[in-house]
Amino acid sequence: MSEKPHRGKEQPGHHGEGRKDDKGRDQTPGSQSRASHSALGSLDYRHPDYPHDTHPVLVPGISIDEQRRHYRVDWLVFAIAGSLTVAFVVWGIWSPGSVAAVAETAFYWSTDNLGWMFNVVAIVVLVATLGIALSPYGRIPLGKDGERPEFSTFSWTAMLFAAGLGVAVLFWGPSEPLGYFISPPPLTSEPESVEALHTALAQMYYHWGFHAWAIYALVGGAVAYAAYRRGRSMLMSSIFRALFGRRLTEGFAGKLVDIFAIITTLFGTAAALGIAAMQIGAGVSIVSGAGELTNDTLVVIIAILTVGFVVSAVSGVARGIRYLSNMNIVLTIGMVAIVLFLGPTLFLVNLLPSAIMEYLGSLFDMMGRSLSWGTETQEFQSMWTVYYWAWWISWSPFVGIFLARISRGRTIRQFILGTILIPSSLLFIAYGVMGGTSIWMYREGAPGFTEGMPAPEVLFALIDNLPYVEWLPFVVILVLAIFFVTAADSASVVMGMLTTQGDQTPRLWVVVFWGLVMSGIAIVMLLLGDATALEGLQRLVIVTAVPFALVLIVAIIAWFKELRTDPLALRMHYVDTAMNNAVTEGVDRYGDDFSLKVVESSPGDGAGAGIDSTDESYTEWYQRTNEEGEPVGYDFETGEWADGYDAATGEASEATSEQLAVARERSRVEALKTGADHGRN
């Protein structure tokens, strides 16, 4: 049997009682260090100095709530992101024509020259996230070793479902497949044919399925890993520590990433709020018989809903917002169920499996569409596919950070596969029901359905053709209004976090500021285009997502590089090397009759052969610091800080002279290491 080492005071790298080796030499870490220093100066080849005297393989991980930090408003990030977005709102209100001209030029340049880039980013992110999930790195937890998931699997699944459902089910669910049915994607099928029916749903699944959720999984997984495994702030910039180094990550390079994240989130969320306002306006217009919807009406609606958001934020009714959000999900599911059972039920239960299989069967074909297929395909890609990839990219900081906050303790494999498969599967059903019903009603000549009907009116035409639900339009308007308020509230909190160094409860005025800016951008977006055609919304989402698309590619590289130095990844390497060496030598020396025993090996022949465990890529990240960023000793066994810091009170107690001496010595050593690291950088 193998003699397994136990973590504890007898292990190298941990403080413990004195012990002797087989020649009677003292093996206590402190005495060995003293002996080696006397013999070799400051270098001990066999037992090198590690932060907190802990070998990187034995580090259990560090969570964000174990670190010592004071959150402050990052005035550079706030000033740059705030100035740019406020200036845009002022410019858009003062001269919408000039903004529209610039947006149109930037839109056509981006789609003509960078449409391929959005397709490549979507494909690369999907392949990379699935690759990480299915690799040995998938076993790494988004938390400390042995940490259990914060939420049960059922609650976690419900929250994933909530993240996937929103205004889109009610807006795009009925209208987008109908548009593809009437006017199919180029080079696919004849309009209004049986093939077009299945192609329409497959195309929608392509836009809302695996690729979209892979983008969210990348950001959410990388942020959760950085926060709950590496102890960093919940910022987009925290992902890039292994790639940029600490100095650049906490400097301008990291701030630039957070600025990009704020701007792209603002425009992506503002587009969703604009869509919600458009559909609320259509509902009010239809229910009240007020006539044609105008942009002025939409501005008034957004202003009223923004007041509701500000009231909710100022009053601090966070629990009430959560209840409203949960109620929203229940009502949305209820509406989908009503459509399923009061609509063409038999048609839908036959259509859904066929549409899902059509999506899976044509997935690679849809992924291969680009400008090389002709100008018509290029126009379709610009209007739909590229727009959706840009929208998911712009929503990724918002949704990704939300997913990170609810996924602590899960493995990377559970997180990625769950995030990609669970919401996608549920959306396939919900969108299939809504889209299949609208297509069926159109084919049957149901009242209200016409070939060129505006997208916001499709849902209300669908409801009008269902029996017994004359009251349902009012529920739809209520759901959309609640969605606007809760989405604005949640997105503003995320942008507040990005502005306050990752503070999970950012200052109220910061949250309100970003909510007001978001509503202003939504108004400008609507003023730039026809209220029924979404031009302003789509164009600006694509243009502002371009820089962040590149950020996602770099994020893949940074996350993968960090996973390679994770303690669990190192442990797996040591296990493989040790077992291979032991079995090879055992068979060679003893045939079938041998067992495993842990003994010291010659330098370079042990389990860690080929790994320099003192390299800063393995050790720098778990060095604990105080609020001023100065190194402080820490004992992973007891959870004690060398300066007597108490996590409960947030204060450092009086330490003994011996403790202070140890802390100063450790700080001196770490300062020398840090100085050398900076010199190399």
Side-chain angles (χ1 to χ4, degrees):
M1 294 177 61
S2 171
E3 296 182 7
K4 298 180 180 178
H6 298 280
R7 289 199 58 212
K9 292 187 177 181
E10 76 278 4
Q11 280 300 299
H14 295 280
H15 299 292
E17 299 177 357
R19 49 189 172 82
K20 308 290 184 179
D21 65 6
D22 55 357
K23 296 184 179 180
R25 293 177 300 199
D26 190 354
Q27 293 296 298
T28 304
S31 64
Q32 280 202 343
S33 179
R34 288 191 296 271
S36 64
H37 275 269
S38 63
L40 300 173
S42 61
L43 186 60
D44 181 353
Y45 292 97
R46 297 177 62 191
H47 294 277
D49 288 323
Y50 294 108
H52 318 309
D53 297 329
T54 304
H55 192 289
V57 165
L58 302 178
V59 178
I62 307 172
S63 65
I64 184 175
D65 46 20
E66 291 180 319
Q67 293 287 48
R68 295 165 62 173
R69 56 168 55 90
H70 289 313
Y71 294 106
R72 306 176 180 87
V73 176
D74 192 322
W75 290 107
L76 180 62
V77 173
F78 183 81
I80 295 177
S83 299
L84 290 175
T85 51
V86 169
F88 172 82
V89 172
V90 172
W91 180 27
I93 294 176
W94 176 64
S95 180
S98 61
V99 177
V102 173
E104 182 178 10
T105 301
F107 166 76
Y108 284 117
W109 185 91
S110 299
T111 53
D112 290 344
N113 296 280
L114 299 177
W116 63 270
M117 183 191 72
F118 284 102
N119 284 330
V120 169
V121 169
I123 294 170
V124 169
V125 169
L126 177 61
V127 173
T129 51
L130 289 176
I132 291 174
L134 300 177
S135 74
Y137 297 136
R139 295 171 51 191
I140 297 174
L142 299 175
K144 297 174 64 176
D145 290 347
E147 188 171 1
R148 299 181 64 84
E150 185 176 3
F151 298 99
S152 68
T153 300
F154 178 82
S155 298
W156 183 65
T157 301
M159 286 186 280
L160 286 178
F161 186 39
L165 278 180
V167 65
V169 174
L170 304 180
F171 187 91
W172 295 114
S175 62
E176 186 179 341
L178 180 60
Y180 298 151
F181 176 70
I182 297 173
S183 180
L187 307 177
T188 55
S189 53
E190 291 295 322
E192 302 184 24
S193 62
V194 174
E195 292 79 7
L197 167 66
H198 296 86
T199 299
L201 288 178
Q203 187 70 46
M204 185 176 195
Y205 291 163
Y206 176 56
H207 291 156
W208 294 83
F210 300 151
H211 291 76
W213 289 95
I215 293 172
Y216 295 156
L218 169 63
V219 175
V223 170
Y225 178 83
Y228 300 129
R229 184 72 172 170
R230 299 273 182 162
R232 300 177 199 140
S233 299
M234 295 192 74
L235 295 170
M236 282 298 305
S237 56
S238 296
I239 299 173
F240 302 94
R241 177 79 166 266
L243 203 60
F244 295 165
R246 179 174 181 176
R247 183 170 56 85
L248 288 177
T249 302
E250 296 179 357
F252 186 73
K255 296 180 189 300
L256 192 62
V257 169
D258 291 330
I259 290 169
F260 282 153
I262 291 172
I263 292 176
T264 192
T265 300
L266 273 171
F267 281 87
T269 311
L273 300 185
I275 288 173
M278 290 172 60
Q279 195 151 32
I280 291 173
V284 171
S285 177
I286 292 172
V287 170
S288 64
E292 185 178 355
L293 182 67
T294 65
N295 276 334
D296 292 339
T297 306
L298 293 177
V299 171
V300 172
I301 291 172
I302 291 177
I304 294 173
L305 294 175
T306 300
V307 171
F309 151 72
V310 172
V311 170
S312 73
V314 172
S315 62
V317 289
R319 181 176 299 178
I321 291 297
R322 286 198 295 270
Y323 288 151
L324 288 175
S325 182
N326 293 336
M327 182 179 72
N328 236 12
I329 299 303
V330 172
L331 291 175
T332 302
I333 295 173
M335 281 188 281
V336 173
I338 287 173
V339 174
L340 174 62
F341 292 111
L342 295 184
T345 307
L346 182 60
F347 171 79
L348 293 175
V349 296
N350 280 281
L351 174 63
L352 290 178
S354 299
I356 293 173
M357 294 308 299
E358 177 68 19
Y359 161 65
L360 296 176
S362 59
L363 181 59
F364 287 97
D365 179 58
M366 290 185 287
M367 288 167 61
R369 297 300 175 98
S370 66
L371 176 61
S372 63
W373 286 73
T375 56
E376 290 185 357
T377 299
Q378 167 68 6
E379 292 175 1
F380 177 85
Q381 292 272 325
S382 301
M383 184 60 64
W384 292 107
T385 306
V386 174
Y387 164 63
Y388 275 121
W389 298 160
W391 200 3
W392 307 142
I393 290 169
S394 66
W395 267 65
S396 60
F398 169 30
V399 178
I401 291 177
F402 167 76
L403 295 178
R405 293 176 70 178
I406 67 173
S407 301
R408 180 174 183 172
R410 299 199 171 273
T411 66
I412 290 176
R413 181 172 298 138
Q414 289 174 331
F415 173 79
I416 290 178
L417 296 182
T419 298
I420 292 176
L421 297 178
I422 293 174
S424 296
S425 301
L426 297 171
L427 287 172
F428 291 163
I429 296 173
Y431 284 35
V433 168
M434 303 300 285
T437 301
S438 66
I439 292 174
W440 182 85
M441 289 182 175
Y442 174 82
R443 288 203 311 182
E444 296 297 315
F449 281 89
T450 59
E451 183 173 332
M453 63 188 308
E457 298 178 8
V458 176
L459 173 64
F460 293 100
L462 184 154
I463 293 173
D464 194 47
N465 285 280
L466 296 177
Y468 318 120
V469 289
E470 293 79 7
W471 45 269
L472 196 54
F474 299 96
V475 177
V476 171
I477 295 173
L478 174 64
V479 168
L480 293 169
I482 295 174
F483 168 82
F484 186 105
V485 173
T486 55
D489 200 329
S490 302
S492 298
V493 168
V494 169
M495 287 181 288
M497 291 171 58
L498 294 172
T499 316
T500 55
Q501 302 176 334
D503 187 356
Q504 297 187 56
T505 55
R507 292 161 176 78
L508 180 61
W509 69 267
V510 176
V511 174
V512 172
F513 171 80
W514 290 122
L516 293 175
V517 172
M518 195 188 320
S519 297
I521 292 175
I523 291 174
V524 172
M525 283 178 157
L526 292 171
L527 293 177
L528 299 185
D530 190 316
T532 61
L534 309 174
E535 284 98 343
L537 299 173
Q538 292 174 310
R539 288 175 179 175
L540 285 174
V541 167
I542 291 173
V543 171
T544 56
V546 169
F548 208 72
L550 301 176
V551 170
L552 291 184
I553 296 297
V554 180
I556 295 173
I557 301 171
W559 193 22
F560 178 75
K561 183 176 181 180
E562 201 150 55
L563 292 176
R564 294 179 61 193
T565 62
D566 185 86
L568 181 57
L570 285 177
R571 243 171 279 157
M572 290 188 289
H573 175 86
Y574 276 52
V575 168
D576 290 342
T577 304
M579 290 299 295
N580 287 333
N581 291 345
V583 171
T584 300
E585 184 176 355
V587 171
D588 182 56
R589 296 176 62 182
Y590 305 112
D592 298 332
D593 303 317
F594 73 94
S595 61
L596 304 183
K597 182 179 181 179
V598 176
V599 296
E600 188 174 15
S601 70
S602 301
D605 294 334
I611 290 181
D612 178 7
S613 61
T614 63
D615 188 273
E616 64 176 359
S617 63
Y618 298 118
T619 61
E620 186 271 338
W621 67 273
Y622 65 88
Q623 170 62 65
R624 299 297 185 96
T625 60
N626 60 19
E627 292 80 358
E628 285 71 40
E630 300 169 346
V632 179
Y634 181 82
D635 192 327
F636 279 99
E637 289 290 326
T638 63
E640 295 178 352
W641 296 77
D643 63 354
Y645 173 77
D646 185 352
T649 62
E651 298 179 354
S653 62
E654 291 292 333
T656 65
S657 58
E658 182 180 351
Q659 288 173 325
L660 290 174
V662 172
R664 282 195 296 269
E665 176 62 18
R666 288 177 175 170
S667 298
R668 184 187 68 80
V669 172
E670 292 304 324
L672 291 174
K673 290 182 179 179
T674 303
D677 295 342
H678 286 173
R680 284 194 295 270
N681 290 336

